[in-house]
Amino acid sequence: MILETPRLFLRPFTPSDFEAIYAVIGDPLTMRFYPAPYDKQGTLDWIERNLRRYEEDGTSLHAVVLKSNNQMIGDCGPAWQQTDAGRELEIGYHIRRDCWGHGYATEAAKAAMTYAFKNFAVDHLISLIRPENFPSRRVAEKNGLHIDREIDWKGIRHFVYAITRDEFAHRTSHDSQQL
């Protein structure tokens, strides 16, 4: 296990996560802002790519598991991406469609952001989000990210949402005082 939130565990993928993650990244509605949903081979490649990233980069997307029933409902985590500004650490997330609207992506992304700032010497984090992907934009905004710039990433227009280490520290300090 890597991370724990009040309702979730975030842990590295294993090959046995195939069916659960395929239900997410193979779903056409969930993946409507990607060029296409992943097929079965693409899903196997997705798991392998994340396993390779753990070894090479020390981080990648993690399986998001509900504590209440031990069911994997998606992925979230910090993964290195090549952008117009060089190599940047992105917080990515995908949640199974029947679990939308419960705040799981926001909760998981906040934990991933905390983990990233604690474990990597970066001055900021990003999320690459298509302009028309309003649900993902809301998740980013709830966690304090803001549009930093617009880029053509992998041939598709994206907003680069960003938050600096100082902004995140101020925000989480403020959140703690609110409790």
Side-chain angles (χ1 to χ4, degrees):
M1 180 183 62
I2 296 290
L3 303 171
E4 183 176 354
T5 73
R7 301 180 296 166
L8 307 168
F9 290 116
L10 279 70
R11 60 157 176 78
F13 278 107
T14 66
S16 65
D17 291 324
F18 172 79
E19 290 297 332
I21 196 62
Y22 180 62
V24 179
I25 66 173
D27 176 46
L29 184 58
T30 300
M31 301 305 284
R32 69 191 178 278
F33 300 110
Y34 274 66
Y38 285 78
D39 61 14
K40 290 187 176 195
Q41 184 58 53
T43 301
L44 290 170
D45 295 344
W46 176 275
I47 292 170
E48 284 301 315
R49 185 169 47 256
N50 282 292
L51 295 174
R52 195 171 47 256
R53 283 177 166 172
Y54 299 150
E55 288 184 27
E56 295 172 2
D57 297 336
T59 190
S60 192
L61 296 172
H62 291 80
V64 175
V65 179
L66 286 175
K67 284 181 174 180
S68 61
N69 60 13
N70 208 35
Q71 203 178 95
M72 193 183 95
I73 61 164
D75 63 31
C76 180
W80 290 101
Q81 299 291 357
Q82 194 64 40
T83 72
D84 63 321
R87 198 167 186 241
E88 296 183 277
L89 196 53
E90 180 195 20
I91 302 301
Y93 40 86
H94 304 92
I95 299 295
R96 197 176 66 211
R97 186 174 5 143
D98 65 315
C99 295
W100 291 354
H102 298 283
Y104 297 133
T106 303
E107 185 175 328
K110 184 176 181 182
M113 292 165 64
T114 300
Y115 173 82
F117 278 129
K118 187 175 185 180
N119 292 283
F120 296 92
V122 295
D123 65 351
H124 71 283
L125 299 170
I126 66 165
S127 283
L128 295 160
I129 304 173
R130 301 263 304 268
E132 61 275 21
N133 187 346
F134 291 104
S136 284
R137 291 177 62 182
R138 276 194 301 275
V139 169
E141 290 164 1
K142 285 180 189 175
N143 280 327
L145 286 86
H146 52 84
I147 298 172
D148 180 63
R149 63 193 187 275
E150 189 174 324
I151 65 172
D152 182 54
W153 189 68
K154 297 186 177 183
I156 300 171
R157 188 171 151 242
H158 282 76
F159 286 146
V160 179
Y161 272 80
I163 189 168
T164 66
R165 181 179 290 274
D166 289 343
E167 289 169 333
F168 186 72
H170 177 74
R171 184 177 181 84
T172 54
S173 152
H174 180 73
D175 289 349
S176 297
Q177 292 170 1
Q178 297 284 323
L179 297 176

